[in-house]
């Protein structure tokens, strides 16, 4: 029994001696790079990125390191050197080394070298891959009006696409330009994966001819970037807009007020909404029809109207037509109507009967009454 225990002890000592017999070179050889990441995954020229290299010690003993560094040619600049000295990596442990780099190059794939200098056993060299692309996001106008009109709100739709091989973040579109009013003032899209696109819509009201500039702000990793595209705003007639034509005007004066009636027709190609008829100064709208709402008029639709007003010391008054388009833009036009030769209605004629005529009628009635009285008086005298 004692012999067996002695044999086992000797065997353990031999095994221990065998393990401890691993050379520093052998231990260092078991330190391996398990992976690396680059953030952002694809750089643009002048972008700053972080390169993180992960190392694992698969040996059974700690492996002492002198330093960990990254080297490269002039295309990728190494901005820091945080591991000039380093302790050791314990057995089975994993360590990450992070470096900051800058792309000083155009399109291409570059290979900066990650190097570990072991204290007692040479070094480990590992190339990492850094991609650089100059391609920017794309902005396209997918819908815009055929023409712009001063002060008229129009819908403009744009898409932002990402043709890069890496994701971009924080994508925001901001319209701008002299005399440009936009609702909303900006649109947030967020992240765009490679080959992904997103669409945003703006209501644009131009107050002068200018360039509508759509600026796309985005991030590539921590790098803030932007690009812009312009859309010229030139005012032209909208050939499709609603056009209200007035016809069949009749003006009648009665009871001291004017009553004008007629027809309104939409001769345009777009719907006229919230059509309202009234009169302007020097006319003064009065009840019962101060305003006459016609509601909506589709293209080629017709409706009649009637408004009432008073007017003094004038022979014409403006008939005012107001309507809105589908975007709520207000349009206003006027048509002068004559009231100088307005025919009076029968009731108006009675009120304006000349005094001479009234006196003549009174005289005739008086004569007839006199004749009747005289005849009656003679008849009584004959009976007596």
């Amino acid at each position: 029994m004692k012999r067996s225990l002695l044999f086992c002890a000797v065997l353990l000592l031999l095994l221990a001696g065998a393990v401890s017999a691993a050379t520093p070179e052998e231990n260092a050889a078991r330190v391996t790079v398990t992976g690396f990441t680059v953030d952002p995954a694809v750089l643009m020229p002048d972008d700053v990125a972080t390169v993180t290299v992960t190392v694992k010690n698969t040996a059974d003993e700690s492996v002492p390191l002198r330093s960990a560094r990254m080297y490269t040619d002039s295309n990728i600049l190494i901005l820091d050197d945080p591991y000039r000295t380093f302790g050791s990596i314990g057995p089975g442990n994993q360590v990450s080394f992070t470096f900051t780099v800058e792309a000083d190059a155009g399109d291409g794939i570059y290979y900066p070298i990650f190097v570990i200098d072991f204290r007692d056993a040479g070094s480990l060299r590992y190339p990492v891959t850094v991609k650089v692309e100059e391609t920017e996001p794309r902005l396209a106008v997918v819908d815009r009006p055929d023409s712009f009109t001063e002060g008229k709100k129009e819908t403009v739709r744009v898409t932002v696409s990402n043709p890069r091989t890496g994701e971009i973040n924080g994508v925001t579109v901001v319209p701008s330009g002299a005399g440009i009013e936009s609702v909303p003032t900006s649109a947030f899209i967020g992240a765009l994966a490679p080959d992904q696109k997103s669409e945003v819509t703006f209501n644009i009201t131009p107050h002068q001819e200018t360039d509508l500039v759509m600026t796309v702000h985005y991030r590539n990793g921590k790098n803030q970037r932007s690009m812009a595209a312009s859309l010229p705003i030139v005012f032209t007639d909208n050939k499709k807009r609603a056009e209200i034509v007035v016809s069949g005007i009749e003006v009648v004066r009665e009871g001291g007020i004017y009553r004008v009636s007629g027809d309104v027709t939409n001769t345009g190609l777009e719907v006229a909404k919230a059509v309202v008829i009234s009169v302007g100064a020097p006319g003064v709208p009065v009840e019962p029809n101060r305003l006459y709402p016609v509601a909506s008029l589709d293209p080629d639709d017709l409706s009649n109207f009637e408004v009432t007003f008073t007017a003094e010391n004038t022979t014409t008054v403006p008939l005012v037509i107001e309507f809105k388009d589908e975007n709520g833009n207000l349009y206003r036009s006027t048509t002068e109507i004559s009231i100088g030769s307005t025919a009076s209605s029968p009731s108006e004629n009675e009120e304006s009967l000349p005094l001479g005529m009234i006196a003549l009628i009174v005289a005739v009635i008086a004569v007839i009454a006199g004749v009747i009285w005289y005849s009656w008086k003679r008849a009584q005298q004959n009976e007596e």
Side-chain angles (χ1 to χ4, degrees):
M1 181 66 179
K2 290 183 178 177
R3 289 183 177 178
S4 298
L5 292 174
L6 180 61
F7 175 78
C8 291
V10 171
L11 180 60
L12 290 174
L13 289 174
L14 291 175
L15 291 173
V19 171
S20 61
T23 66
E25 289 77 8
E26 291 173 335
N27 287 330
R30 299 184 65 179
V31 175
T32 59
V33 174
T34 58
F36 69 89
T37 59
V38 180
D39 183 24
V42 182
L43 285 70
M44 302 182 76
D46 301 324
D47 270 0
V48 174
T50 56
V51 178
T52 300
V53 182
T54 303
V55 175
K56 186 173 183 179
N57 177 16
T58 61
D60 296 326
E61 297 181 38
S62 293
V63 177
L65 275 62
R66 181 176 291 111
S67 65
R69 298 191 176 189
M70 183 165 284
Y71 299 93
T72 184
D73 53 25
S74 59
N75 295 321
I76 302 297
L77 305 180
I78 309 302
L79 302 183
D80 56 8
D81 188 14
Y83 310 106
R84 292 187 177 183
T85 60
F86 199 84
S88 61
I89 304 177
N93 287 351
Q94 186 167 279
V95 178
S96 294
F97 300 91
T98 300
F99 302 88
T100 304
V101 302
E102 180 179 349
D104 188 23
D107 285 334
I109 300 176
Y110 305 92
Y111 302 95
I113 305 298
F114 171 70
V115 179
I116 287 179
D117 285 327
F118 297 106
R119 192 170 61 193
D120 305 317
S123 62
L124 167 68
R125 299 171 62 85
Y126 186 89
V128 299
T129 303
V130 176
K131 296 181 180 178
V132 179
E133 285 184 4
E134 298 183 13
T135 305
E136 290 189 323
R138 304 285 173 79
L139 185 142
V141 178
V142 295
D143 188 24
R144 52 158 293 179
D146 293 334
S147 61
F148 286 94
T149 304
E150 181 179 0
K152 182 184 178 184
K153 180 173 60 180
E154 297 286 2
T155 299
V156 176
R157 292 191 296 124
V158 299
T159 60
V160 180
S161 56
N162 179 20
R164 296 174 53 78
T165 57
E167 182 180 82
I168 57 175
N169 304 93
V171 180
T172 304
V173 183
V174 181
S176 62
I180 292 293
E181 180 181 345
S182 173
V183 177
T185 54
S186 65
F188 180 73
I189 293 176
L192 281 179
D195 296 330
Q196 187 180 17
K197 69 178 181 181
S198 183
E199 180 178 297
V200 291
T201 301
F202 297 96
N203 291 319
I204 301 296
T205 305
H207 297 286
Q208 67 182 68
E209 293 188 339
T210 184
D211 285 333
L212 171 62
V213 180
M214 293 286 186
T215 303
V216 180
H217 299 280
Y218 64 98
R219 293 196 315 273
N220 188 36
K222 296 181 179 179
N223 304 280
Q224 187 67 51
R225 290 184 166 274
S226 63
M227 53 84 62
S230 297
L231 174 65
I233 300 291
V234 179
F235 294 153
T236 57
D237 293 334
N238 183 359
K239 298 178 181 178
K240 295 183 178 180
R241 56 167 285 185
E243 294 285 350
I244 303 299
V245 175
V246 180
S247 61
I249 295 291
E250 291 185 0
V251 182
V252 176
R253 183 181 181 189
E254 58 183 13
I257 65 173
Y258 292 94
R259 187 183 301 273
V260 57
S261 60
D263 299 322
V264 287
T265 305
N266 181 7
T267 61
L269 299 179
E270 295 180 348
V271 178
K273 294 181 175 293
V275 182
V276 176
I277 313 297
S278 63
V279 296
V284 179
V286 296
E287 299 296 347
N289 292 318
R290 298 171 59 86
L291 304 173
Y292 197 93
V294 183
S296 293
L297 281 178
D298 290 330
D300 298 329
D301 264 5
L302 177 146
S303 176
N304 54 28
F305 71 91
E306 181 179 276
V307 292
T308 50
F309 64 95
T310 61
E312 295 181 355
N313 303 323
T314 184
T315 57
T316 62
V317 293
L319 187 68
V320 181
I321 303 100
E322 293 181 331
F323 65 94
K324 296 180 179 179
D325 63 14
E326 293 183 340
N327 292 324
N329 297 298
L330 178 64
Y331 297 88
R332 188 174 190 269
S333 63
T334 59
T335 299
E336 290 292 328
I337 56 175
S338 175
I339 61 174
S341 58
T342 302
S344 299
S345 65
S347 58
E348 184 72 6
N349 288 335
E350 290 175 2
E351 289 184 359
S352 62
L353 199 62
L355 292 177
M357 182 63 71
I358 296 174
L360 177 62
I361 294 173
V362 171
V364 171
I365 293 174
V367 170
I368 294 174
V371 171
I372 294 174
W373 180 83
Y374 178 77
S375 300
W376 174 75
K377 192 67 178 179
R378 286 290 304 268
Q380 281 189 337
Q381 290 177 354
N382 293 334
E383 289 177 358
E384 292 175 359

